[in-house]
Amino acid sequence: MKKNFLFILIFSFVICRAAVYTDTKYDFIDKTIRTQHYKVAVLSNFPALYYLDKNNKPIGLAIDVLNEVSKKLGFRYSYQIVNNWSEAKKLLSEGEVDFIPGITQTDETLGEFIASINSIEVASIICLVRNNEIEINNIMELKGKNTGVLKGGATHIKMKDWQNFNLVIFDDIDEGLLALLSGKIDGFVLPKTGVIKRIQDLKLEDKFKIVGKPFMEIKRVYLFRKNNQDLKNQIDKALDEILRSQFYRDVYIKWYGRPEPFWTLGKVLILLSALFIFLIIVIFLWSYYSINKLNIKLKLQNELLKENEIIIQKQLNELKEKNENLNQFNYTVSHDLKTPLITIKGYVELILRDLEKNKYDNLLKNAKKINNAADKMQNLIDDLLQYSQLETNQLKNEIINVNNLIVEVYNILGIAIKDKKIKIMIDKDLKNVYADKNRMLQIFKNLIENAIKYSNNEIQPIINIGWTSEENGYRTYYVKDNGIGIEEKYKDKIFKLFERLNPKIEGTGVGLAITKKIIESYKGKIWFEVNTETSGTIFYFTLPMI
Amino acid sequence: MTKEELKILLVEDNDDHAELLLMELEDKLKDIELFRVSDGEEALDYLYRRGDKYSKLTNHFLPDLILLDLRLPKIDGIEVLSTIKNDKNLKKIPVVMLTSSDAENDIIEAYNNYANSYLVKPLNFDKFSKMLDSLAEYWIEWNRQPN
């Protein structure tokens, strides 16, 4: 039991020891440091070692390295922010701070303080001039001119004893850069690293240039009081490791790395995409434009085709109508023109037969029949000629007063009107039409003649002539009678050649056909309505008005 | 077989033609009864006994033969023919078309509408009588009562 206890004790000790060993990775660390809290002096603005961020918290290369050092050594620290090296050194010498985590190593500082062996950066001192400067080609040519240096910096310390150099001292880099731009100084001598970074940050690369060779090299080191050799040694060890690590490479690039080139892959891609989209838009617009143009062309051609089609259809219809007319003409000529001929032939045969038998009783009567048939044939031929001439005769259009025209018709039809005791009533102002006078005479004569011919013997025949309306350059005239009337179902038939509804009334069946043809030649219309008051007929027709 | 009185309906608008035809008919055939109308409408009115004029006609008869002019006022001959031949009561009546033209189209149209015969004016009456004879026989055969 005792043995067991001892074993456990020893085992526990080993474990604990191992744990302690693992924890203290850096066995060089003085255990006193681990619990320390140090005060450090940092500059408010010394690119790229020290900056202040938005919250006035120090950042920069020196701060990153300090942080890593503190992590390695396990101490905590707080900042004393100062404006220049002089202040920082004053605080150090007075014991207000324990060390400065990065300052230029100079002979002067080494006299009073001790510096770390390791430096966190090495910088070249260069001479910066305005970009358009031509006189100054190296630092020596600044002699007799205003030369800017940073207060308490290595350059300041070095150059303050130089003869004939008018040193202008600045608290920070920005002040000096502005003075250089404004012409207050002609050259600014300072560490290269920080100023290049600052100029890049300010995007003022094209305003400055570096002339000559770097005239010295400086080291940034940790600075301690002379009595703090122990701390210096500890930090040097930590720095030795850090400076060789990937961490240092990363933070160095972080603070000194060049800004990304303007033409990054992303930007190139965006530009290419924009170009591509632009190209697509251009192609699209172009194709849209050309298609549109083509469409318009096509549309025009289509319209033209349609128009042509309409014209052709119209001509076809006209031809068809003409053909129909011709067929009808043919038909009627072969039938109706033969009718009186048949009569003549029939009665001639009768007469011949009677003569053979020496019968003379019916001779006169039959001869009269032949005579009548011959007359009828004469009329038919005359009317037919008139009808067919409608197409060929030249029209002589003129302004015609319709009232005067009716007077002429009245004179022509005077005997028939008197015989049948017809009352003709004419509107006072029938106005003028613009047409061929003979044709107009034919229209009114045919219609009035028709009204007379088909008058009702049982009542007083009245014929009214007037007009009802004017529309689209045409006036609608009418001839109204109270005659025997025409049934609605014959409305198409009566205008056809040789069509007659009543064989007992003399006529050739050409009159209305002629009338219709004339009116249609003036693009007018003719139709009839039943006169509901008298069961007579009203013929309406349109004529071009003046 | 005895020949009965032949009843004829003449549809002819031309008075002279009607007179000439009638004279020939009377000359050739002794026993005829003829009724004449002057247009297509009247012909149909007569056959169907309609209108003021024919609905009350006392001596109305259905003809044994119709002589039908091709070209008629109001309703054309072909239309009258078509109406007759499409009527189950009238279609057995033989119809002879009369025309002044021997245009082929007219003849074809007439036969297409079941005209029984076709006669071109001026009338050749020898031919006409022969035709009448055969038509009369045909009609009697058609109407023969079963013994």
Side-chain angles (χ1 to χ4, degrees):
Chain A
M1 186 73 184
K2 231 180 181 180
K3 261 185 179 177
N4 279 348
F5 179 72
L6 191 72
F7 179 74
I8 290 166
L9 200 76
I10 293 166
F11 186 73
S12 311
F13 176 77
V14 169
I15 298 265
C16 288
R17 185 80 189 104
V20 168
Y21 184 80
T22 317
D23 188 31
T24 53
K25 197 174 161 189
Y26 306 104
D27 52 355
F28 53 81
I29 296 170
D30 184 338
K31 285 180 190 68
T32 55
I33 289 174
R34 290 179 62 115
T35 54
Q36 281 296 330
H37 182 110
Y38 295 116
K39 282 184 181 167
V40 298
V42 295
L43 264 65
S44 59
N45 187 15
F46 190 81
L49 293 186
Y50 305 105
Y51 301 92
L52 289 180
D53 70 4
K54 284 183 287 185
N55 306 316
N56 281 331
K57 207 182 144 224
I59 51 168
L61 176 65
I63 304 299
D64 281 349
V65 173
L66 171 65
N67 194 36
E68 191 68 9
V69 169
S70 80
K71 264 197 244 167
K72 278 191 190 299
L73 298 178
F75 63 79
R76 287 179 294 136
Y77 59 91
S78 56
Y79 299 115
Q80 282 283 102
I81 299 165
V82 295
N83 286 324
N84 53 52
W85 294 128
S86 310
E87 275 178 49
K89 282 186 271 189
K90 197 176 163 227
L91 286 177
L92 185 62
S93 67
E94 285 170 359
E96 291 291 317
V97 297
D98 297 302
F99 61 90
I100 301 167
I103 183 167
T104 310
Q105 179 184 308
T106 60
D107 296 342
E108 196 186 52
T109 50
L110 285 177
E112 191 179 352
F113 308 102
I114 50 168
S116 62
I117 298 159
N118 293 298
S119 55
I120 57 169
E121 71 161 359
V122 174
S124 316
I125 302 295
I126 48 96
C127 178
L128 193 73
V129 296
R130 287 180 291 276
N131 201 26
N132 50 5
E133 179 65 63
I134 45 168
E135 281 180 28
I136 300 158
N137 294 311
N138 61 60
I139 192 166
M140 286 310 158
E141 285 174 9
L142 278 169
K143 201 181 256 182
K145 299 198 164 151
N146 290 337
T147 306
V149 290
L150 288 170
K151 188 178 181 182
T155 323
H156 181 200
I157 293 161
K158 186 125 193 164
M159 286 177 78
K160 66 184 176 192
D161 303 326
W162 291 12
Q163 296 292 312
N164 300 324
F165 278 87
N166 310 325
L167 292 193
V168 181
I169 293 133
F170 299 104
D171 272 340
D172 62 34
I173 291 174
D174 287 7
E175 230 177 90
L177 287 177
L178 264 169
L180 186 57
L181 282 178
S182 65
K184 212 174 187 177
I185 55 171
D186 297 306
F188 193 12
V189 181
L190 75 171
K192 184 182 176 183
T193 46
V195 75
I196 296 292
K197 172 73 178 159
R198 187 62 191 151
I199 288 169
Q200 283 168 359
D201 288 348
L202 295 170
K203 297 191 169 40
L204 289 171
E205 289 102 321
D206 57 338
K207 300 288 185 202
F208 303 105
K209 64 180 179 185
I210 294 166
V211 290
K213 286 178 181 166
F215 96 102
M216 63 183 270
E217 206 170 55
I218 51 157
K219 280 176 162 184
R220 313 283 197 203
V221 291
Y222 273 55
L223 204 64
F224 309 88
R225 277 189 303 280
K226 276 193 170 163
N227 58 4
N228 220 345
Q229 188 73 36
D230 195 32
L231 179 64
K232 185 216 118 181
N233 289 341
Q234 295 287 334
I235 286 180
D236 249 336
K237 277 178 192 165
L239 281 176
D240 192 45
E241 271 196 31
I242 291 166
L243 293 175
R244 279 183 277 128
S245 70
Q246 182 64 39
F247 166 81
Y248 180 71
R249 264 167 260 167
D250 290 345
V251 291
Y252 193 89
I253 288 164
K254 177 181 158 194
W255 294 106
Y256 284 116
R258 289 193 62 82
E260 282 201 355
F262 183 76
W263 291 112
T264 57
L265 185 66
K267 280 183 179 169
V268 169
L269 279 176
I270 288 169
L271 184 80
L272 280 178
S273 316
L275 271 173
F276 185 68
I277 290 167
F278 177 74
L279 206 74
I280 285 178
I281 290 171
V282 166
I283 289 171
F284 177 78
L285 284 177
W286 181 76
S287 49
Y288 177 79
Y289 172 76
S290 33
I291 285 171
N292 215 23
K293 220 168 150 187
L294 261 175
N295 267 347
I296 290 169
K297 226 173 174 180
L298 265 175
K299 215 174 164 187
L300 273 174
Q301 274 174 348
N302 254 350
E303 271 168 21
L304 215 74
L305 265 176
K306 245 182 208 165
E307 265 172 39
N308 279 346
E309 214 170 286
I310 289 168
I311 291 169
I312 288 170
Q313 193 57 47
K314 207 173 152 191
Q315 284 173 342
L316 214 70
N317 285 346
E318 270 172 26
L319 262 177
K320 220 170 156 187
E321 203 181 317
K322 275 191 181 164
N323 210 25
E324 258 170 37
N325 283 345
L326 206 73
N327 273 345
Q328 207 191 354
F329 190 78
N330 225 353
Y331 182 86
T332 47
V333 168
S334 63
H335 286 82
D336 299 78
L337 210 55
K338 264 188 180 174
T339 303
L341 204 62
I342 290 163
T343 310
I344 292 167
K345 171 101 169 124
Y347 283 107
V348 166
E349 271 182 18
L350 263 183
I351 289 171
L352 285 176
R353 231 184 288 168
D354 282 352
L355 284 177
E356 272 173 16
K357 293 175 192 167
N358 290 323
K359 277 173 74 180
Y360 303 100
D361 307 348
N362 296 324
L363 209 55
L364 185 67
K365 191 194 95 186
N366 291 344
K368 271 184 185 167
K369 296 261 187 197
I370 292 169
N371 197 33
N372 282 343
D375 282 347
K376 201 169 180 181
M377 192 146 183
Q378 178 72 49
N379 287 338
L380 266 176
I381 289 167
D382 285 348
D383 282 356
L384 266 179
L385 273 175
Q386 207 179 38
Y387 183 80
S388 61
Q389 273 169 359
L390 284 178
E391 303 232 332
T392 51
N393 273 9
Q394 286 286 319
L395 293 177
K396 208 183 118 207
N397 291 341
E398 57 187 318
I399 299 168
I400 305 154
N401 181 284
V402 179
N403 285 86
N404 294 344
L405 201 72
I406 303 293
V407 171
E408 277 186 54
V409 175
Y410 192 89
N411 289 338
I412 296 168
L413 300 174
I415 297 165
I417 292 168
K418 271 178 198 159
D419 278 356
K420 290 201 164 187
K421 297 192 174 73
I422 284 160
K423 208 165 149 187
I424 296 191
M425 296 164 87
I426 305 161
D427 273 11
K428 244 183 225 165
D429 188 7
L430 290 175
K431 303 217 170 178
N432 296 342
V433 292
Y434 185 74
D436 184 276
K437 196 184 167 188
N438 284 330
R439 298 281 157 91
M440 293 301 109
L441 198 71
Q442 255 174 318
I443 292 173
F444 282 97
K445 185 189 143 250
N446 286 345
L447 289 174
I448 294 168
E449 203 170 19
N450 238 39
I452 296 168
K453 225 186 269 179
Y454 297 96
S455 60
N456 187 344
N457 296 328
E458 290 161 18
I459 52 169
Q460 163 67 54
I462 302 169
I463 298 171
N464 294 82
I465 300 157
W467 62 273
T468 58
S469 61
E470 290 176 339
E471 203 180 346
N472 300 329
Y474 282 81
R475 191 179 297 113
T476 305
Y477 287 93
Y478 64 87
V479 174
K480 181 163 83 177
D481 64 51
N482 57 352
I484 57 172
I486 306 165
E487 282 176 69
E488 191 77 31
K489 58 182 169 183
Y490 300 121
K491 65 178 178 184
D492 292 326
K493 210 167 179 175
I494 60 159
F495 293 110
K496 284 187 178 165
L497 194 63
F498 294 124
E499 284 293 351
R500 300 182 53 225
L501 299 179
N502 195 334
K504 294 192 172 66
I505 292 171
E506 279 296 315
T508 55
V510 182
L512 281 178
I514 287 177
T515 305
K516 184 173 190 250
K517 206 169 177 182
I518 293 170
I519 288 165
E520 283 178 352
S521 75
Y522 284 101
K523 311 249 181 273
K525 281 183 288 186
I526 179 163
W527 69 100
F528 76 86
E529 282 172 16
V530 176
N531 185 349
T532 47
E533 296 164 28
T534 63
S535 80
T537 309
I538 313 166
F539 275 97
Y540 291 99
F541 52 101
T542 59
L543 291 174
M545 61 193 214
I546 281 292
Chain B
M1 189 166 60
T2 53
K3 263 190 192 172
E4 294 171 19
E5 190 176 64
L6 190 64
K7 298 185 185 101
I8 298 172
L9 176 67
L10 173 63
V11 191
E12 170 64 72
D13 61 323
N14 189 299
D15 288 344
D16 295 335
H17 291 193
E19 190 189 35
L20 285 165
L21 199 72
L22 183 63
M23 274 194 272
E24 285 305 319
L25 284 169
E26 280 173 342
D27 195 40
K28 301 283 176 192
L29 307 162
K30 297 301 168 208
D31 303 315
I32 58 162
E33 191 177 346
L34 185 129
F35 193 86
R36 184 209 158 191
V37 290
S38 1
D39 62 56
E41 199 173 62
E42 224 184 322
L44 291 175
D45 282 351
Y46 176 84
L47 288 169
Y48 288 107
R49 297 196 72 167
R50 64 189 183 196
D52 293 343
K53 204 168 168 186
Y54 299 111
S55 56
K56 291 160 192 162
L57 198 69
T58 46
N59 56 345
H60 184 271
F61 59 82
L62 261 192
D64 301 327
L65 175 70
I66 299 170
L67 299 174
L68 180 60
D69 195 12
L70 191 69
R71 194 150 154 75
L72 289 167
K74 294 183 182 174
I75 298 175
D76 217 15
I78 288 290
E79 210 181 320
V80 175
L81 171 68
S82 160
T83 310
I84 292 168
K85 290 301 178 187
N86 282 311
D87 185 297
K88 64 177 184 347
N89 293 322
L90 298 177
K91 66 179 173 191
K92 61 186 179 190
I93 303 170
V95 177
V96 177
M97 298 303 292
L98 304 173
T99 176
S100 39
S101 152
D102 55 356
E104 205 179 339
N105 275 349
D106 286 347
I107 299 170
I108 290 168
E109 214 188 343
Y111 283 123
N112 277 346
N113 284 283
Y114 309 107
N116 297 77
S117 191
Y118 190 92
L119 213 60
V120 181
K121 304 172 195 174
L123 313 158
N124 180 331
F125 282 97
D126 287 337
K127 192 179 157 193
F128 183 59
S129 347
K130 273 176 203 158
M131 192 185 64
L132 282 181
D133 280 342
S134 59
L135 275 172
E137 274 169 31
Y138 155 88
W139 188 82
I140 288 157
E141 285 293 309
W142 185 288
N143 288 289
R144 177 181 287 167
Q145 302 290 320
N147 291 332

